[in-house]
């Protein structure tokens, strides 16, 4: 059992007055997450409802989770339990304007060495150039429920999913019945990471519970797919049936002209959360013109080749699923992992009172082609560990790990912790690593745990609702080769692709190697002889030794990472990173 790592050093954020009364908090000594409010709460569903958030909508009352689990099987308060192949290397506790228990940490986005961490009160910017010692660059206090961020170039989009008195950062809670109330998305200029500027807001019906960026095909705009739900006859802008999403178009050369350009009705004739009244989350795969929607009562596959007019290809329901929450494609776009947020994220679903396939993942294959593609169920996955009744736990946000030749993802389970799942065989998913904290309290259920847990450029980052930003290192032969791939920008709900290995070599290869087609990946391999890569083919080498020259012309990809080349490299457009090359190198 390991102990938490002390927090890293911090940079000072500079105060700034800007549009909408934007407030950047000066970063001083960080107060630990409260997580132990002595006032207590008689009923957690009621306490969440009083806080004005969305967890209460599907909250399962305390008495419904009456499981008793042997204390010896579960880590104690603030203790950590994990598999041997994963460890925490850093933690930044909540601080400043986000220090209170009610300031929930939410989603994450990435750009280079920066992590953007959302919170119900705004967002933080961290510099993770050294992942073992993250530094705080700025904190933007701009209240509005949810606070999911996405980044695109110099723009950050922040979701607001509760009626506010106006669109400013100094707004207060308001009634949804008022025409003057506002909710939707806020847009920030993040060209100066230490001084983000609030530049634009866009109102959307029912606000923005989550949002997904989809670049336009001409590269001149980015679309924001707004997911929201919870219509009410008494609301001014959020009336039923709300069987649609809102699409905001943002011209990149003039982002302050962003506006709603379409509100496609995706599920005509349906009403209510039990069927579908909007979507909770949509993950887009722009390169494949596909999107997967977790839409309340439905799992949906969309064709998004026309960005302003998504078309439903396949729609599935599962009587075992209570609330379709999020979705993750595999790299080839042939599978989708959907999550079921039974209990709304506030309830103790990882106890023996619930079945092993409740509050779990459902893995679907995508079969067929073109307009005939369908989602076909293959299996469920739920973490195998039990929690106490004081720990909210259910399937939540995760991302793909770009492992060579395998389908592996890391996923948050609130206080169930972090799980790494191999779903290469979609009918038989297997957990290969886990990390979790014990409960936040011995006496009451405090909403906490990992909200979003994502892999980015060699490390796992997790935004814990109460404990702050965690950084973890996974050391496993099945996933270490994922370090061969890196992304300049990552919004998990806008899924990027990476080169798919058609052949993976991990042994000694004598007599050289010619790659005539596909992508050959070397993982801990040794090649004794020259390597040639034909036009259109590709080579990726990780932790490998190349005893000979490498020549490529017109290759689809050539990447040498954490490897040694005893010879020269002649490959225009190649990436050579963290490697030793004894001979000449020509990549440009």
């Amino acid at each position: 059992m390991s102990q938490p790592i002390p927090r890293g050093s911090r940079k000072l954020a500079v105060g700034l007055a800007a549009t909408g009364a934007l407030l950047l908090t000066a970063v001083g000594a960080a107060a630990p997450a409260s997580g132990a409010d002595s006032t207590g709460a008689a009923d957690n569903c009621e306490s969440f409802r009083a806080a004005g958030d969305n967890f209460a909508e599907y909250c399962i009352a305390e008495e419904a989770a009456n499981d008793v689990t042997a204390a010896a099987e579960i880590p104690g308060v603030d203790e950590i339990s994990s598999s041997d192949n994963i460890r925490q290397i850093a933690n930044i506790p909540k601080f400043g304007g986000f220090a209170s228990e009610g300031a929930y940490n939410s989603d994450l986005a990435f750009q280079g060495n920066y992590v953007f961490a959302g919170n119900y009160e705004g967002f933080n910017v961290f510099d993770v150039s050294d992942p073992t010692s993250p530094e705080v660059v700025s904190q933007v206090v701009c209240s509005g429920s949810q606070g999911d961020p996405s980044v695109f170039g110099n723009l950050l989009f922040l979701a607001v999913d509760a009626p506010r008195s106006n669109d400013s950062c100094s707004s207060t809670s308001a009634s949804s019945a008022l025409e003057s109330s506002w909710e939707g998305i806020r847009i920030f200029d993040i060209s100066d990471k230490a001084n983000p500027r609030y530049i634009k807001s866009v109102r959307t019906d029912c606000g923005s519970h989550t949002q997904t960026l989809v670049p336009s095909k001409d590269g001149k705009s980015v679309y924001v797919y707004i997911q929201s739900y919870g219509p009410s006859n008494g609301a001014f802008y959020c009336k039923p049936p709300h069987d649609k999403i809102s699409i905001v178009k943002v011209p990149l050369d003039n982002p302050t002209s962003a506006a709603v350009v379409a509100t496609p009705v995706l599920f005509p004739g349906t009403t209510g959360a039990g069927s579908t009244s909007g979507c909770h989350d949509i993950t887009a795969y722009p390169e494949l013109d596909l999107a997967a929607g977790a839409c309340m009562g439905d799992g949906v596959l969309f064709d998004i080749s026309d960005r302003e007019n998504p078309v439903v290809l396949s729609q599935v329901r599962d009587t075992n699923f209570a609330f379709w929450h999020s979705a993750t494609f595999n790299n080839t776009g042939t599978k989708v992992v959907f999550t079921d947020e039974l209990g709304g994220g506030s309830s103790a679903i990882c106890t023996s009172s619930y079945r092993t396939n409740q509050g779990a993942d459902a893995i679907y294959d995508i079969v067929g082609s073109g307009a005939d593609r369908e989602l076909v169920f293959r299996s469920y996955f739920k973490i195998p560990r039990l929690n106490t009744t004081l720990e909210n736990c259910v399937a939540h946000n995760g991302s793909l790990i770009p492992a060579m030749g395998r389908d592996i993802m890391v996923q948050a389970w609130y206080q169930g912790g972090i799980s790494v799942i191999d779903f290469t065989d979609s009918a038989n998913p297997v957990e290969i690593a886990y990390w979790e904290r014990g409960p936040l309290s011995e006496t009451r259920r405090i909403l906490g745990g990992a909200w979003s847990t994502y892999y980015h450029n060699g490390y796992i980052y997790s935004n814990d609702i109460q404990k702050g930003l965690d950084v973890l290192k996974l050391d496993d032969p099945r996933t270490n080769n994922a370090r061969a791939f890196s992304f300049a920008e990552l919004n998990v709900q806008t899924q990027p692709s990476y080169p798919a290995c058609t052949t993976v070599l991990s042994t000694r290869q004598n007599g050289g190697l010619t790659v005539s087609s596909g992508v050959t990946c070397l993982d801990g391999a040794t090649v004794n002889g020259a390597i040639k890569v034909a036009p259109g083919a590709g080579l990726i080498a990780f932790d490998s030794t190349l005893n000979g020259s490498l020549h490529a012309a017109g290759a689809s990809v050539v990447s040498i990472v954490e490897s040694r080349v005893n010879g020269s490299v002649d490959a225009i457009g190649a990436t050579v990173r963290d490697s030793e090359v004894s001979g000449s190198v020509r990549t440009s």
Side-chain angles (χ1 to χ4, degrees), residues 152-153 155 157 213-225 247-255 257-259 261 286 307-308:
F152 193 89
L155 301 176
F157 303 87
L213 303 187
V214 184
S216 66
K217 293 193 172 185
D218 62 9
K220 295 180 180 180
S221 304
V222 63
Y223 290 97
V224 190
Y225 286 11
I247 300 178
V248 175
K249 185 177 184 179
V250 185
L252 297 177
D253 62 355
N254 185 20
S257 66
V261 294
R307 301 295 196 238
E308 297 182 15

Side-chain angles (χ1 to χ4, degrees), residues 264-279:
V265 173
L266 302 174
F267 313 105
T270 61
T271 58
S275 49
T276 293
S277 57
C279 293

Side-chain angles (χ1 to χ4, degrees), residues 33-56:
S34 58
D37 185 349
S38 59
T39 60
D43 177 272
N44 26 228
C45 293
E46 285 303 317
S47 68
F48 298 150
R49 192 172 291 112
D53 57 61
N54 296 302
F55 288 97

Side-chain angles (χ1 to χ4, degrees), residues 38-319:
S38 59
T39 60
D43 177 272
N44 26 228
C45 293
E46 285 303 317
S47 68
F48 298 150
R49 192 172 291 112
D53 57 61
N54 296 302
F55 288 97
E57 184 171 359
Y58 298 98
C59 190
I60 294 174
E62 181 93 27
E63 57 269 20
N66 56 3
D67 183 75
V68 177
T69 305
E73 299 177 1
I74 298 173
V77 173
D78 282 340
E79 290 183 341
I80 290 174
S81 175
S82 72
S83 55
D84 292 338
N85 56 353
I86 191 170
R87 62 188 177 92
Q88 182 190 47
I89 61 173
N91 169 261
I92 301 290
K94 295 201 300 185
F95 62 92
F98 306 164
S100 70
E101 182 182 306
Y104 301 148
N105 276 338
S106 58
D107 212 354
L108 296 168
F110 305 87
Q111 193 174 78
N113 289 322
Y114 293 99
V115 176
F116 301 86
N119 183 281
Y120 272 46
E121 300 300 321
F123 64 92
N124 288 321
V125 183
F126 297 99
D127 184 336
V128 293
S129 299
D130 178 0
T132 67
S133 184
E135 297 181 343
V136 176
V137 178
S138 58
Q139 181 177 91
V140 175
V141 177
C142 195
S143 297
S145 174
Q146 197 70 14
D148 282 9
S150 296
V151 294
F152 193 89
N154 288 329
L155 301 176
L156 180 143
F157 303 87
L158 196 68
V160 179
D161 190 33
R164 309 293 296 177
S165 56
N166 55 57
D167 64 351
S168 75
C169 289
S170 58
S171 63
T172 57
S173 296
S175 168
S176 63
L178 299 176
E179 182 179 5
S180 59
S181 294
W182 179 91
E183 56 183 324
I185 58 165
R186 293 170 172 144
I187 305 176
F188 295 80
D189 183 324
I190 55 169
S191 52
D192 180 354
K193 304 297 188 293
N195 297 285
R197 293 187 302 113
Y198 180 19
I199 61 172
K200 176 68 176 178
S201 71
V202 180
R203 183 200 304 275
T204 56
D205 292 346
C206 299
S208 175
H209 192 72
T210 58
Q211 35 97 359
T212 302
L213 303 187
V214 184
S216 66
K217 293 193 172 185
D218 62 9
K220 295 180 180 180
S221 304
V222 63
Y223 290 97
V224 190
Y225 286 11
I226 304 294
Q227 292 85 235
S228 55
Y229 58 93
S232 167
N233 286 321
F236 192 90
Y237 294 104
C238 185
K239 294 183 181 297
H242 193 67
D243 45 6
K244 63 184 181 181
I245 62 172
S246 297
I247 300 178
V248 175
K249 185 177 184 179
V250 185
L252 297 177
D253 62 355
N254 185 20
T256 57
S257 66
V260 175
V261 294
T263 54
V265 173
L266 302 174
F267 313 105
T270 61
T271 58
S275 49
T276 293
S277 57
C279 293
H280 180 278
D281 214 329
I282 291 176
T283 294
Y285 202 148
E287 186 176 325
L288 300 181
D289 285 336
L290 284 177
C295 298
M296 314 291 287
D298 303 74
V300 187
L301 185 68
F302 298 101
D303 180 329
I304 58 168
S305 52
D306 180 348
R307 301 295 196 238
E308 297 182 15
N309 184 35
V311 175
V312 174
L313 295 174
S314 181
Q315 188 171 350
V316 293
R317 292 195 173 180
D318 184 340
T319 55

